Amino acid sequence: MKHSKDYLQQLRDALDALDLRQVEDMCEQFAAARERDAQIFLCGNGGSGATASHLANDLGKGASLDQARRFRVIALTDNVPWMTALANDISYDVIFAEQLRNLARPGDVLLAISGSGNSANIIQAVEAAKELGVETIGWTGFGGGKLAQLADRSIIVDSHHMGRVEDIHTILMHLVCYYFMEEVSP
């Protein structure tokens, strides 16, 4: 019981530390991308990759269905054959960057999710995106890592516990999606 109470209290503390203006700014950035028909790319590893896939699903269906304007969104985590070919033939570090080099155009948006903020393939994806003129957003924890310094804008979860960082990234994902599903229509 003590562990559960402590975990939830620390989660509440990290949630209370979130800058909701940053979340609103990101929602506005996504709305602007939708308006100009820009592509939104998402990437992450492990649990962060699952969050990227979930966000693509919710923006692509839930926030787009029956709307005059739809989100053009794709999780770079979801093309397993391409990812594994790149990892096997080149390096795991380029699995997202190389996809962006084929797909991204100036004015598109990349949301890169990394609990530590230091995953090499996430850093390379953000670097490639910047070279291509793609706007970059980072979701991270653990003080932000390299991702927070490199991305155009970042939301850093105030925690050094991967579970709580991933919990809040999931909450951020739902804050974004439900903003469009419940508050905004194009």
Side-chain angles (χ1 to χ4, degrees), residues 26 30 40-60 73-78 96 110-115 122 137-140 155 157 162-177:
M26 194 188 69
F30 276 21
I40 299 172
F41 297 100
L42 313 166
C43 65
N45 295 295
S48 298
T51 300
S53 291
H54 191 160
L55 179 56
N57 174 71
D58 284 4
L59 284 176
V73 58
I74 187 167
L76 299 174
T77 56
D78 291 346
F96 303 129
L110 170 67
L111 170 59
I113 308 169
S114 171
I122 297 297
I137 303 167
W139 285 359
T140 186
I155 297 177
V157 174
M162 190 59 76
R164 284 184 282 280
V165 170
E166 288 179 344
D167 289 340
I168 293 177
H169 287 168
T170 300
I171 290 168
L172 286 170
M173 181 260 311
H174 280 136
L175 284 172
V176 169
C177 291

Side-chain angles (χ1 to χ4, degrees), residues 131-161:
E131 290 169 14
L132 296 164
V134 172
E135 300 172 11
T136 58
I137 303 167
W139 285 359
T140 186
F142 291 83
K146 294 176 188 173
L147 176 58
Q149 297 169 19
L150 187 60
D152 297 323
R153 96 176 11 159
S154 295
I155 297 177
I156 303 168
V157 174
D158 185 19
S159 179
H160 285 76
H161 184 278

Side-chain angles (χ1 to χ4, degrees), residues 17-47:
L18 272 180
D19 182 346
L20 295 181
R21 183 66 215 158
Q22 290 179 320
V23 178
E24 288 179 28
D25 289 347
M26 194 188 69
C27 288
E28 290 170 9
Q29 187 174 8
F30 276 21
R34 178 180 62 180
E35 192 59 34
R36 68 178 182 269
D37 203 34
Q39 182 75 45
I40 299 172
F41 297 100
L42 313 166
C43 65
N45 295 295

